[in-house]
Amino acid sequence: MSAYELVIGDKSFSSWSLRPWLLLKVAGVPFIERNVRLRQPDSREQILTYSPSGKVPLLLTEGFEVWDSLAIAEYIAECLPEKALWPRDQMARARARAISAEMHAGFPDLRNELSMDILNRHPTPELSAGAARDVARVQEIWRSARAEARGGPFLFGHFTVADAMYAPVVTRFISYNIPLDPVCRAYADVILDLPAMIEWTVGAKAETA
Ligand SMILES: N[C@@H](CCC(=O)N[C@@H](CS)C(=O)NCC(=O)O)C(=O)O
């Protein structure tokens, strides 16, 4: 019996669900997946059977619930210190937390104008000034993290919570063919090539079959 159950929404567009799902997968932590279809008349009722916030994702563990993607990531990282899901270096850890919080709390225009649609490709839309600023800021974050990263192709070398937080943005940039500089493109490819990302996309296809 797995110690963790993760309640998630549709894989084609539930960007918040992807984050803790990917974190658990890349960390190699077994978990039971519970799926709720979003955008259905009874979605809210279904989610409320698990989650007091009325939102997914939600982690169930030993009779205890943790909701919200970042809170779940923090909880998993605390439960599994050996996986170093935050960078071990204190300054890198502070930076990883800062950019994860920035993602969690920000980029509203990017989220509105480039909504996650993992299975489809769209022509690059004309972005508002706010969305263009968000896109530029994400690339600045990736570039500066990669410039400091040692020992691996992720934002802080090895895979951390920060990579999980930005993974849905990678899929948005690809879906809408957003121009990326070479460093950001290489980083995007690293995320897209993760076996867990491929598994998520296969799952999204199966949901729409
Ligand atoms: N801040 C929350 C946001 C969660 C959220 O907005 N989830 C969406 C799905 S991606 C949701 O559950 N929406 C409810 C609905 O569509 O009925 C988190 O980080 O987990």
Side-chain angles (χ1 to χ4, degrees):
M1 181 74 185
S2 173
Y4 300 105
E5 288 183 36
L6 187 69
V7 184
I8 59 170
D10 303 61
K11 288 183 170 147
S12 45
F13 59 83
S14 184
S15 58
W16 295 113
S17 299
L18 169 57
R19 293 171 168 110
W21 186 97
L22 186 63
L23 190 68
L24 286 167
K25 285 279 173 179
V26 175
V29 180
F31 65 98
I32 294 169
E33 185 179 312
R34 305 253 176 246
N35 303 87
V36 175
R37 297 309 295 262
L38 302 177
R39 302 179 185 169
Q40 305 296 316
D42 66 342
S43 291
R44 186 165 170 78
E45 199 185 322
Q46 293 293 323
I47 296 171
L48 283 171
T49 64
Y50 299 105
S51 175
S53 72
K55 306 260 190 221
V56 288
L58 172 112
L59 184 77
L60 294 163
T61 173
E62 296 170 17
F64 178 72
E65 300 126 3
V66 188
W67 58 91
D68 190 283
S69 57
L70 192 52
I72 296 169
E74 288 285 6
Y75 181 82
I76 295 166
E78 277 184 21
C79 290
L80 307 165
E82 72 284 4
K83 304 278 184 188
L85 296 175
W86 289 112
R88 291 197 195 279
D89 174 79
Q90 188 181 30
M91 282 180 185
R93 191 160 64 247
R95 184 58 54 83
R97 284 205 161 102
I99 66 168
S100 296
E102 190 174 345
M103 177 71 251
H104 188 249
F107 306 116
D109 295 320
L110 185 158
R111 281 215 275 266
N112 281 341
E113 292 173 41
L114 305 175
S115 59
M116 182 164 145
D117 186 11
I118 202 164
L119 295 179
N120 293 308
R121 299 292 174 265
H122 304 274
T124 311
E126 186 145 344
L127 296 177
S128 67
R133 245 191 331 268
D134 286 351
V135 167
R137 174 64 190 145
V138 168
Q139 293 198 54
E140 186 186 10
I141 287 170
W142 292 357
R143 266 195 310 276
S144 82
R146 287 296 307 139
E148 302 277 317
R150 298 288 173 272
F154 298 100
L155 293 175
F156 294 88
H158 72 283
F159 188 93
T160 67
V161 171
D163 298 290
M165 291 305 288
Y166 281 87
V169 183
V170 168
T171 76
R172 291 165 193 243
F173 284 174
I174 299 305
S175 287
Y176 296 90
N177 198 23
I178 300 296
L180 299 176
D181 66 53
V183 171
C184 294
R185 179 70 230 195
Y187 173 67
D189 286 340
V190 164
I191 296 297
L192 294 171
D193 289 346
L194 285 169
M197 282 300 287
I198 294 164
E199 185 184 337
W200 176 274
T201 309
V202 169
K205 281 193 190 126
E207 280 172 355
T208 55

